[in-house]
Amino acid sequence: MGASKVIHAIYTDDDVLMSAVKKIKAEKHHIEEVFTPFPVHGLDKAMGLAPTRLAITAFIYGTIGLIVSIVMMNFIMIEDWPQDIGGKPSFSFIENMPAFVPIMFELTIFFAAHLMVITFYLRSRIWPFKDAENPDPRTTDDHFLMEIPIYNNNQLELENLLKETGAVEINIVEKDEAH
């Protein structure tokens, strides 16, 4: 069961936010989420997040695209309907592979790019008509929000720590358990 209350600490500078994240993690507090208007370099490492595995899926999707292109061209151009194009008969895939390389390259990129976008949206739980989960609209403009769950009545300690780290605003919010 998660915390029923969370602290939303608002920051106005990304460098202050980074030092705050490092200090809060050093004090062994769990940071649930950080909302930023732009990517903050190094924030994932400072929060202790695991590295992404999306690069592995990109390689797998590219490989699938390459296999699909090879199977497709072999069936269409060699097995199903071989043609003599410009005096070059289609007797085997290997003999015609130089002509097939651009298609193989394009389908590799096509599959990797499109399936990566779909994977990213599904993994991020972003789909059409989904309600925004952003707790404060200012984080889409120029503010940074750090969300920290409150456990075992550590609210006062957290508030003091957040004020020390440079938070310009601290709010206590009831957490919706549906998220």
Side-chain angles (χ1 to χ4, degrees):
M1 182 175 137
S4 61
K5 284 198 240 179
V6 292
I7 292 182
H8 285 173
I10 307 283
Y11 294 87
T12 55
D13 184 69
D14 57 330
D15 293 328
V16 175
L17 172 76
M18 277 296 289
S19 63
V21 166
K22 289 174 184 173
K23 187 167 186 176
I24 289 165
K25 292 302 278 186
E27 295 285 330
K28 305 288 188 227
H29 292 288
H30 173 69
I31 299 172
E32 188 68 33
E33 188 66 78
V34 176
F35 297 89
T36 64
F38 54 82
V40 178
H41 180 70
L43 184 60
D44 53 341
K45 188 174 181 179
M47 288 180 62
L49 299 176
T52 180
R53 295 184 304 256
L54 285 176
I56 297 167
T57 60
F59 177 77
I60 292 168
Y61 296 152
T63 304
I64 291 169
L66 180 63
I67 291 168
V68 166
S69 69
I70 291 170
V71 170
M72 177 190 76
M73 288 182 301
N74 186 58
F75 177 75
I76 292 172
M77 298 299 292
I78 307 301
E79 294 175 16
D80 185 45
W81 194 356
Q83 299 176 49
D84 186 347
I85 300 172
K88 299 175 187 171
S90 299
F91 295 128
S92 73
F93 184 83
I94 297 298
E95 288 176 332
N96 292 285
M97 196 165 85
F100 295 159
V101 167
I103 299 166
M104 292 166 28
F105 173 77
E106 291 297 332
L107 279 181
T108 300
I109 301 302
F110 179 86
F111 270 66
H114 287 80
L115 292 176
M116 278 300 298
V117 168
I118 293 168
T119 300
F120 174 75
Y121 284 145
L122 291 175
R123 181 70 181 97
S124 300
R125 295 184 184 97
I126 301 173
W127 39 79
F129 312 111
K130 183 176 187 293
D131 292 335
E133 293 180 12
N134 193 350
D136 191 324
R138 293 178 292 176
T139 60
T140 62
D141 187 21
D142 61 350
H143 285 63
F144 304 85
L145 184 142
M146 186 186 315
E147 184 177 277
I148 304 172
I150 299 173
Y151 293 111
N152 302 328
N153 299 324
N154 64 350
Q155 179 177 334
L156 190 59
E157 175 193 347
L158 272 172
E159 284 183 31
N160 291 334
L161 180 60
L162 290 168
K163 285 176 188 170
E164 285 176 28
T165 61
V168 295
E169 184 180 322
I170 298 171
N171 302 314
I172 310 300
V173 179
E174 289 291 326
K175 182 73 173 175
D176 183 12
E177 292 295 327
H179 292 295

